[in-house]
Amino acid sequence: MDSERYRDVMGHYPTGVVFVSGMCSGEPVGMVVGTFSSVSLDPPLVSFMPMKTSRSYVRLLESPVLCVSVLAHDQVDVCRTLAGSAADKFDKVPWSLSSFGAPVIEGAVAHVHCTRRTQVDAGDHWITLCDVVDMEVARSVTPMLFFQGGYGAFFPKSMSARGDAELFAALRLADVATPEVEALATRLDCEAAALVVVDDDELTTAVAAYGGDAETGGQLGQRIPLVPPIGMAYIAKAAPPVAERWLATLADTDQLASYRRRLDSIVAHGVEITMAGSDARAFERLHDVLTDYATGRFTPAGRRAVISDLARAPVFTEEVRLDDHEVFDVGSIVAPVHNPEGDVALLVRIGQLPSPSTGATVKTWIALLKETVATIERGLVDGAGRARLEEYRKRFARSAERPA
């Protein structure tokens, strides 16, 4: 059996993520495990399967009791810290010693206290069977999952309904922008849209208008993933942790530097300009990715494909310098809409613009776009616009407490 094929096929099956810990010579030790499982109810047994080469497991053998901490969906940073080899990793995460004498990771979903019963040879792993001596649910939230090389979570149907509530609040907020977006599309004979941030991982198209010969397309309420190169006008003004998480998916140093320069340019000029025609394949791929995401086929592997394929396309990071007399083929222009508190809640995008057009004409479009944004921002200060903004902010805050 080819090892890469084995990993690929088994990668389509998600596993839970736990941290197995104990004490060795008075010091806490442990290892992140994705092979934890319940085994028997009578007697109560669980198991986990460490690699034979694991040095952490060798140290765990010296611990008379173990604690299995079932990690929560929002403990990705904790997981990565504990999975590292740093000698002081326990100093970087909250934990306490259980009454049984094993480290307990705080914030975990559940803790299973156990003792080792036996160890079975299983190829390049051991199957370690343990007797459960006590257990408790510490925090009733969704657990962390490992799937196709990425960490995430699942949401039961009831939680998905709450996600629909956030989407509804986002669509209601966009109503404030509808008249201005429609007027902009008519005035420029183009496509104009308002996009709303659903959470720090997704946008949605909430308003779409078409003027002149612009072709209709897309779907209102369709969720759009916030992954490079998507959503730069939002990321450029987002809180540093959100921006850094977005940038962290870019492994190549040169690519990361290009995106940082691009984000700085958006902040300086107030708009994101992307030229069309220079890389038709990149735009086709972007369309395919958004379609796949909307139909639920966007997996962690698909996310990595976006980053490796789309994110390196120069068309998305190239600096645009507008000369009044030079001719340009503009793909889209996006501007952020700020609420009175200074946060970005909406984006206004114009596309299918007349082409080719001079730099002077493009500057006129940008000025009209900024005027539209200013009008929408004034509509969020008080009255119905403010009420819908407050509803949206409450939903957004709740959404931010849940994982991507």
Side-chain angles (χ1 to χ4, degrees), residues 52 219 261 287 353:
K52 290 182 176 178
Q219 182 178 350
R261 287 192 297 269
H287 178 270
L353 294 152

Side-chain angles (χ1 to χ4, degrees), residues 183-195:
L184 187 62
T186 300
R187 189 167 181 179
L188 296 181
D189 289 333
C190 71
E191 170 196 1
L195 296 91

Side-chain angles (χ1 to χ4, degrees), residues 187-202:
R187 189 167 181 179
L188 296 181
D189 289 333
C190 71
E191 170 196 1
L195 296 91
V196 186
V197 181
V198 179
D199 54 40
D200 287 332
D201 293 285
E202 289 184 323

Side-chain angles (χ1 to χ4, degrees), residues 1 6 9 26 28 38 42 57 66 83 85 118 168 173 180 184 195 213 224 244 265 276 311 362:
M1 173 64 66
Y6 181 92
V9 173
S38 62
D42 185 18
Y57 181 64
L66 302 174
S85 57
T118 188
F168 179 69
L173 174 63
E180 303 305 324
L184 187 62
L195 296 91
D213 296 327
I224 302 169
E244 289 304 317
S265 175
V362 177

Side-chain angles (χ1 to χ4, degrees), residues 145-157:
L145 294 182
F146 184 79
F147 178 57
Q148 293 188 353
Y151 294 105
F154 74 96
F155 292 114
K157 185 175 181 180

Side-chain angles (χ1 to χ4, degrees), residues 193-229:
L195 296 91
V196 186
V197 181
V198 179
D199 54 40
D200 287 332
D201 293 285
E202 289 184 323
L203 301 165
T204 187
T205 303
V207 179
Y210 304 89
D213 296 327
E215 297 180 359
T216 60
Q219 182 178 350
L220 294 181
Q222 176 176 316
R223 292 178 183 262
I224 302 169
L226 267 171
V227 293

Side-chain angles (χ1 to χ4, degrees), residues 23-54:
M23 297 295 288
C24 174
S25 301
E27 296 292 330
V29 295
M31 59 189 300
V32 173
V33 173
T35 55
F36 175 72
S37 178
S38 62
V39 176
S40 168
L41 181 61
D42 185 18
L45 299 173
V46 294
S47 71
F48 65 98
M49 293 175 248
M51 290 189 67
K52 290 182 176 178
T53 56
S54 172

